[in-house]
Amino acid sequence: MTVSVVYPGSFDPVTYGHIDVIQRAASRFSRLIVACLQNAGKDPMFDVEERIALLEEVTGDLRNVEVAAFDGLLVDFCREHDVRLVVKGLRAVSDFEYELQMAQMNRSIGGVETLFLTASPIYSFLSSSLVKEIARFGGDVTDFVPPPVADRMRARRW
Amino acid sequence: MTVSVVYPGSFDPVTYGHIDVIQRAASRFSRLIVACLQNAGKDPMFDVEERIALLEEVTGDLRNVEVAAFDGLLVDFCREHDVRLVVKGLRAVSDFEYELQMAQMNRSIGGVETLFLTASPIYSFLSSSLVKEIARFGGDVTDFVPPPVADRMRARRW
Amino acid sequence: MTVSVVYPGSFDPVTYGHIDVIQRAASRFSRLIVACLQNAGKDPMFDVEERIALLEEVTGDLRNVEVAAFDGLLVDFCREHDVRLVVKGLRAVSDFEYELQMAQMNRSIGGVETLFLTASPIYSFLSSSLVKEIARFGGDVTDFVPPPVADRMRARRW
Amino acid sequence: MTVSVVYPGSFDPVTYGHIDVIQRAASRFSRLIVACLQNAGKDPMFDVEERIALLEEVTGDLRNVEVAAFDGLLVDFCREHDVRLVVKGLRAVSDFEYELQMAQMNRSIGGVETLFLTASPIYSFLSSSLVKEIARFGGDVTDFVPPPVADRMRARRW
Amino acid sequence: MTVSVVYPGSFDPVTYGHIDVIQRAASRFSRLIVACLQNAGKDPMFDVEERIALLEEVTGDLRNVEVAAFDGLLVDFCREHDVRLVVKGLRAVSDFEYELQMAQMNRSIGGVETLFLTASPIYSFLSSSLVKEIARFGGDVTDFVPPPVADRMRARRW
Amino acid sequence: MTVSVVYPGSFDPVTYGHIDVIQRAASRFSRLIVACLQNAGKDPMFDVEERIALLEEVTGDLRNVEVAAFDGLLVDFCREHDVRLVVKGLRAVSDFEYELQMAQMNRSIGGVETLFLTASPIYSFLSSSLVKEIARFGGDVTDFVPPPVADRMRARRW
């Protein structure tokens, strides 16, 4: 029995926290599809092509990981890829409540089950938006995102 | 790639909420081992043999589900059964905080990853201790536990 | 002693979750006024006239329920209608914190007491914004909103 | 339409926080029954007769308030008194989660609806167990409990 | 050993809740710098000069309190002022989660430690945004902000 | 202005999580008194003399740290030591709620202010009770407690 999972997100940009979830899920499941949301809010730092290129670069050594753009409902994406499991990383209680609501909805409308992994403690305070805010003010983000992402964030600022 | 999971608990007694998690996990994973904690607190309603017998009775139609007693550390149980994934049902935020702490600890000491499923909304308020309290005062528990459990709870009261 | 209550919200659109609160409150109190907030955020799906028309249609069989538009402070609305009790449905902890803050403020500035009902478990994951997002991407919302609302949401999409 | 409510608790002992809920509920509803749980945990400070006597003393000026002992299931107590509404005070999120679970259960098994009031901010940190701990070490509790309760707590210590 | 602390915020406008934190922190630490965020969201009621003038007016009697504008990263502000401690007031759990994330990040990128004070209960429901909403609809805010702030809020409305 | 703080706890036994809080607080404040609660629950692993001896051993290199036993009310301990600040480490939301209640009470009865530090992420899942449970079943605790504590825990098991 092959178990495939989808890991959805905006990944604007991908952080070490996301990579940690990807590695842990990839080591436990047969196949992991990283679903990169096309429309990443009002003012994305990177467009979806760049975000996918960065995801592919930083997950290139994981053989059972694929990256794909997605738009619309997550349950439709799952159906198209014939996957019935979604993986999410949980950092905090406030994450949990929103995610729980989404999980119930996705199970209700599409029969898709969500599995929650706890964020590794050292990444529990990390979020893409915090990293972007630090970069915006010239702070150092090399502890939070892998080198290719840090490079492009620096380039973006000038 | 076969994906086996362990579902631990006291199951004193097993409720429809537990059965819901068992069914959902069993339908997504190759093999599910229900790990029944021998020492279920100070004043258990059923001893571990009864709890296991009830679990086996109510999961008898699920072919990839096994039931086993466990004592000691969950990570040792997982190692003995060669499983690296644990499944837990989450009902509420307070569950989440304790479970998150346990999950981090189990990953730290035994490399065991915990996957959280959200409880089905209709079972989100259900717990073994509430069911026992209702039964203790002569209330009707047939909505919360399967018939064989309800029968034994009734028998226990006299 | 007649006990009247106000149930405020945006109702953009009214869901089965709202209707559940309305029915439960209407069965316990003498009179229930549904207070429909005129300004329902930046980008409402329905204007206040449509939202009120839908509310009236789906609560038409409840004799002690009225629907009214409101703008400004809730405590002023309550004073104008000579009501000193507000009813809110609580789904989750994050709801609770914001609602608790509002409740304390409304008691402080207007002597209005807020009573919280817990959302029925089957509607605990339901919100107007989730329903709108599903409809926006062509998903089926008939499990979440009553037929007249589902009809207008479908019409709205073309 | 007369609206009666039950306010359950251990009241070991009654604090200004409880009295605040009683006063607020009594001013909004036709009739309030304070249901004093007979079995108040393992090591109660006051037995149920003393707790009821104190409750009656401190609520004596509220004409629509009664005090009664209760044992067993709250839904049975409500049925016997022909009441379908329970009132509880909420102080914090952790209160909320347990209370929400109880509320869903009571609605499920007995058709009893629970209304939550938010604790007044100045009493939000007050609990019977904290007050008992302060008294046990000779601290001053006159800010937290009414004079007759403070008197008996002092007497109890020698 | 002199202990200096920074108290950051938008203060749009300063409320009695902020003043309570300022007074309590000023009485415990050698020196308190109120750091007023220049960019206070999309639609501030007062620009940074007005907000600082009001802060200075209402903290004028506290000799070890200074007010300064800040922009950019809080850790840079702290480094420039040679301070390694930040003070924040916590009202609710949802505050706590976001603040905890910020605190971990600030410790990680700048070695700045955050100390949390609990909001005084009577101010636990108070926020600048709620106060602005009340003022916007002509409500009375004199219980929530000091007189000079209330005056300017009234003036602003015409 | 000298700023002294008290850090209270059971320390049964002291973990790396406690030591992290002690080191961080000691580096920011003039003087830190570790207040070791004599009565550490029903079934302590170590008596108060052993717990204090271990605390002194593991904090021996911190010159501004003292260890003392305490019994009774924390506010009395603070008064006797002429300290008006308490430091606590926060790991999770559920910690926060109980601690907030205690902090409000201690401020109310003794004028003692509580400062909360966030636990370092890598220790966020660590607790004395979890460590004891691991040790009880023969697990390895060397990642969670310093060597002298691990030694005595091993000795205790035989």
Side-chain angles (χ1 to χ4, degrees):
Chain A
M1 184 173 170
T2 294
V3 182
S4 302
V5 295
V6 161
Y7 177 44
S10 296
F11 306 105
D12 183 41
V14 59
T15 69
Y16 281 131
H18 300 126
I19 294 170
D20 174 62
V21 171
I22 292 170
Q23 288 174 330
R24 288 158 60 195
S27 79
R28 293 300 195 283
F29 297 106
S30 317
R31 179 182 167 226
L32 174 72
I33 306 173
V34 181
C36 185
L37 192 58
Q38 296 211 23
N39 179 5
K42 277 169 256 171
D43 193 18
M45 189 168 219
F46 297 106
D47 62 30
V48 72
E49 286 77 21
E50 288 174 287
R51 285 181 276 131
I52 286 179
L54 286 169
L55 278 165
E56 286 175 338
E57 186 169 352
V58 300
T59 64
D61 56 329
L62 297 165
R63 297 232 308 238
N64 59 340
V65 174
E66 301 156 46
V67 183
F70 103 93
D71 201 14
L73 296 177
L74 183 59
V75 294
D76 291 334
F77 181 90
C78 289
R79 197 180 306 115
E80 287 156 22
H81 290 77
D82 198 25
V83 177
R84 295 184 305 152
L85 283 173
V86 161
V87 165
K88 302 288 305 250
L90 282 181
R91 285 169 307 184
V93 167
S94 46
D95 280 5
F96 166 66
E97 293 238 306
Y98 175 72
E99 293 296 347
L100 185 138
Q101 194 185 31
M102 290 299 298
Q104 303 287 24
M105 192 50 104
N106 285 331
R107 197 150 78 90
S108 172
I109 65 177
V112 169
E113 195 78 71
T114 303
L115 302 170
F116 294 103
L117 286 180
T118 58
S120 291
I122 53 166
Y123 302 126
S124 62
F125 60 90
L126 198 53
S127 74
S128 292
S129 56
L130 267 185
V131 169
K132 280 186 281 190
E133 197 175 322
I134 292 168
R136 192 168 300 133
F137 292 111
D140 180 8
V141 297
T142 52
D143 285 352
F144 310 127
V145 294
V149 177
D151 289 349
R152 297 227 200 159
M153 292 185 88
R154 257 189 300 273
R156 179 57 48 98
R157 265 182 281 143
W158 310 115
Chain B
M1 183 172 169
T2 293
V3 182
S4 301
V5 296
V6 161
Y7 177 46
S10 296
F11 305 106
D12 182 43
V14 59
T15 69
Y16 281 132
H18 300 126
I19 294 171
D20 173 63
V21 171
I22 291 170
Q23 288 173 330
R24 288 158 61 195
S27 78
R28 293 299 196 284
F29 297 106
S30 317
R31 178 183 169 224
L32 173 73
I33 306 172
V34 181
C36 186
L37 191 59
Q38 296 210 25
N39 179 4
K42 277 168 259 172
D43 192 19
M45 188 166 219
F46 298 106
D47 62 30
V48 70
E49 286 77 19
E50 287 174 288
R51 286 181 275 131
I52 285 179
L54 286 169
L55 278 164
E56 285 175 339
E57 184 170 352
V58 299
T59 64
D61 57 329
L62 296 165
R63 297 231 308 239
N64 58 340
V65 174
E66 302 156 46
V67 183
F70 103 93
D71 200 13
L73 296 178
L74 182 59
V75 293
D76 292 334
F77 180 90
C78 289
R79 197 180 304 114
E80 287 156 21
H81 289 76
D82 198 26
V83 176
R84 296 184 305 152
L85 283 173
V86 161
V87 164
K88 305 288 304 251
L90 282 180
R91 285 168 309 184
V93 166
S94 46
D95 280 6
F96 166 66
E97 293 236 307
Y98 175 72
E99 293 296 346
L100 185 138
Q101 195 185 29
M102 291 299 297
Q104 302 288 23
M105 192 51 103
N106 285 331
R107 198 152 77 89
S108 173
I109 65 176
V112 169
E113 195 77 72
T114 303
L115 302 171
F116 295 102
L117 285 180
T118 58
S120 291
I122 54 166
Y123 302 124
S124 60
F125 59 90
L126 199 52
S127 73
S128 292
S129 55
L130 267 185
V131 170
K132 280 186 281 189
E133 197 175 322
I134 292 167
R136 191 168 300 134
F137 292 111
D140 179 9
V141 298
T142 52
D143 285 351
F144 310 127
V145 295
V149 177
D151 289 349
R152 297 227 199 158
M153 292 185 87
R154 257 189 301 272
R156 179 59 46 98
R157 265 181 283 142
W158 310 115
Chain C
M1 184 172 169
T2 293
V3 182
S4 302
V5 296
V6 161
Y7 177 45
S10 297
F11 306 106
D12 183 42
V14 59
T15 69
Y16 281 131
H18 300 127
I19 294 170
D20 173 63
V21 171
I22 291 170
Q23 288 174 331
R24 288 159 59 195
S27 78
R28 293 300 195 283
F29 297 106
S30 317
R31 179 183 167 224
L32 173 73
I33 307 172
V34 181
C36 186
L37 191 60
Q38 297 211 22
N39 179 5
K42 276 169 259 173
D43 192 19
M45 189 167 219
F46 297 107
D47 61 29
V48 72
E49 286 77 20
E50 287 174 287
R51 285 181 275 131
I52 285 179
L54 287 169
L55 278 164
E56 286 175 339
E57 186 170 352
V58 299
T59 64
D61 55 329
L62 297 165
R63 297 232 309 239
N64 59 340
V65 174
E66 301 156 46
V67 183
F70 103 93
D71 201 13
L73 296 178
L74 183 60
V75 293
D76 292 333
F77 180 91
C78 289
R79 196 180 305 115
E80 286 156 22
H81 290 77
D82 198 25
V83 177
R84 295 184 305 151
L85 283 172
V86 161
V87 164
K88 304 288 304 250
L90 281 181
R91 285 168 307 184
V93 167
S94 45
D95 279 6
F96 166 66
E97 294 238 305
Y98 175 73
E99 293 296 347
L100 183 138
Q101 195 186 31
M102 290 300 296
Q104 302 287 25
M105 191 52 102
N106 285 331
R107 197 151 77 89
S108 172
I109 65 177
V112 169
E113 195 77 70
T114 304
L115 302 170
F116 294 102
L117 286 180
T118 57
S120 291
I122 54 167
Y123 302 125
S124 61
F125 59 90
L126 198 52
S127 74
S128 292
S129 56
L130 267 185
V131 170
K132 280 186 280 189
E133 198 175 321
I134 293 168
R136 192 168 299 131
F137 292 111
D140 180 9
V141 297
T142 52
D143 284 351
F144 311 126
V145 295
V149 178
D151 289 349
R152 297 228 198 157
M153 292 185 87
R154 257 189 300 274
R156 179 58 47 97
R157 266 183 279 143
W158 310 116
Chain D
M1 183 171 168
T2 293
V3 183
S4 302
V5 296
V6 161
Y7 177 45
S10 297
F11 306 107
D12 182 44
V14 60
T15 69
Y16 281 132
H18 300 126
I19 294 171
D20 173 62
V21 172
I22 291 170
Q23 288 173 329
R24 288 158 60 193
S27 78
R28 293 299 196 284
F29 297 106
S30 317
R31 178 183 169 225
L32 173 73
I33 306 171
V34 181
C36 187
L37 191 59
Q38 296 210 24
N39 179 4
K42 277 168 258 172
D43 192 19
M45 188 167 219
F46 297 107
D47 62 29
V48 72
E49 287 77 19
E50 287 175 288
R51 285 181 276 130
I52 285 179
L54 286 169
L55 277 164
E56 286 175 340
E57 185 170 353
V58 300
T59 64
D61 57 330
L62 296 166
R63 298 231 307 240
N64 58 340
V65 173
E66 301 157 46
V67 183
F70 102 93
D71 201 13
L73 295 179
L74 183 59
V75 294
D76 292 334
F77 180 90
C78 290
R79 198 180 303 115
E80 287 156 21
H81 290 76
D82 198 25
V83 176
R84 294 185 305 151
L85 282 174
V86 161
V87 164
K88 304 289 304 249
L90 282 181
R91 285 169 309 184
V93 166
S94 45
D95 280 5
F96 166 67
E97 292 238 307
Y98 176 72
E99 293 295 348
L100 184 137
Q101 194 184 30
M102 290 300 296
Q104 303 288 23
M105 191 52 103
N106 285 332
R107 197 150 78 88
S108 172
I109 65 177
V112 169
E113 195 77 71
T114 304
L115 302 171
F116 294 102
L117 285 180
T118 58
S120 291
I122 54 165
Y123 302 126
S124 61
F125 59 91
L126 199 52
S127 73
S128 292
S129 56
L130 267 184
V131 170
K132 281 186 280 190
E133 197 176 322
I134 293 168
R136 191 169 299 133
F137 292 111
D140 179 10
V141 299
T142 52
D143 284 351
F144 311 126
V145 295
V149 177
D151 289 350
R152 298 227 199 158
M153 292 185 87
R154 257 188 302 272
R156 178 59 47 98
R157 266 181 280 142
W158 311 116
Chain E
M1 183 173 171
T2 293
V3 182
S4 301
V5 296
V6 161
Y7 177 44
S10 297
F11 306 105
D12 183 42
V14 59
T15 69
Y16 281 131
H18 300 127
I19 294 170
D20 173 63
V21 171
I22 291 171
Q23 288 174 330
R24 288 159 59 194
S27 79
R28 292 300 195 284
F29 297 107
S30 318
R31 179 183 169 226
L32 173 71
I33 306 173
V34 180
C36 186
L37 191 60
Q38 296 211 23
N39 179 5
K42 276 169 258 172
D43 192 17
M45 189 168 219
F46 297 107
D47 62 30
V48 71
E49 286 77 21
E50 286 175 288
R51 286 181 274 132
I52 285 179
L54 286 169
L55 277 164
E56 286 176 338
E57 187 170 351
V58 299
T59 64
D61 56 329
L62 296 166
R63 296 232 308 240
N64 59 340
V65 173
E66 301 156 47
V67 183
F70 104 92
D71 201 13
L73 295 178
L74 182 59
V75 293
D76 292 333
F77 180 90
C78 290
R79 196 179 306 115
E80 286 156 22
H81 290 77
D82 198 25
V83 177
R84 295 185 304 153
L85 283 173
V86 161
V87 164
K88 304 289 304 249
L90 281 181
R91 285 168 308 184
V93 166
S94 46
D95 280 6
F96 165 67
E97 293 238 306
Y98 176 74
E99 293 295 348
L100 184 138
Q101 194 185 30
M102 290 300 297
Q104 303 287 24
M105 191 51 103
N106 285 331
R107 197 151 78 88
S108 172
I109 65 176
V112 169
E113 195 78 71
T114 303
L115 303 170
F116 295 102
L117 286 180
T118 58
S120 291
I122 54 166
Y123 302 126
S124 62
F125 60 89
L126 198 52
S127 75
S128 292
S129 56
L130 267 185
V131 170
K132 281 186 281 190
E133 196 174 323
I134 292 168
R136 192 168 299 132
F137 292 111
D140 180 9
V141 297
T142 53
D143 284 351
F144 310 127
V145 295
V149 177
D151 289 349
R152 297 227 199 158
M153 291 184 88
R154 258 188 300 273
R156 178 57 49 97
R157 265 183 280 143
W158 310 115
Chain F
M1 183 172 170
T2 293
V3 182
S4 301
V5 295
V6 161
Y7 176 46
S10 297
F11 305 107
D12 183 43
V14 59
T15 68
Y16 281 132
H18 299 128
I19 295 171
D20 174 62
V21 171
I22 292 171
Q23 288 174 330
R24 288 158 59 193
S27 78
R28 293 298 196 284
F29 297 107
S30 316
R31 179 182 168 226
L32 174 72
I33 306 173
V34 180
C36 187
L37 192 59
Q38 296 210 23
N39 180 4
K42 278 168 256 172
D43 192 19
M45 187 168 220
F46 297 106
D47 62 29
V48 72
E49 286 77 20
E50 287 176 287
R51 284 181 276 130
I52 285 179
L54 286 170
L55 277 165
E56 285 176 339
E57 185 169 354
V58 299
T59 64
D61 56 330
L62 295 167
R63 298 232 307 239
N64 59 340
V65 173
E66 301 157 46
V67 183
F70 104 93
D71 201 13
L73 295 178
L74 182 59
V75 294
D76 293 333
F77 180 90
C78 289
R79 196 180 306 112
E80 288 156 21
H81 289 77
D82 197 26
V83 176
R84 295 184 304 151
L85 282 174
V86 161
V87 164
K88 303 289 303 250
L90 283 181
R91 285 169 307 184
V93 166
S94 46
D95 279 6
F96 166 67
E97 294 239 305
Y98 176 73
E99 293 296 347
L100 185 138
Q101 195 185 29
M102 291 299 298
Q104 303 287 23
M105 192 50 104
N106 285 331
R107 197 151 79 88
S108 172
I109 66 177
V112 169
E113 195 77 71
T114 304
L115 302 170
F116 294 103
L117 285 180
T118 57
S120 291
I122 53 166
Y123 302 125
S124 61
F125 58 92
L126 199 53
S127 74
S128 291
S129 56
L130 266 185
V131 169
K132 280 186 281 189
E133 197 176 323
I134 292 168
R136 191 168 300 133
F137 292 111
D140 179 11
V141 298
T142 52
D143 284 351
F144 310 126
V145 295
V149 177
D151 288 350
R152 298 228 199 156
M153 292 184 87
R154 257 188 301 272
R156 179 58 48 96
R157 266 181 281 141
W158 310 116

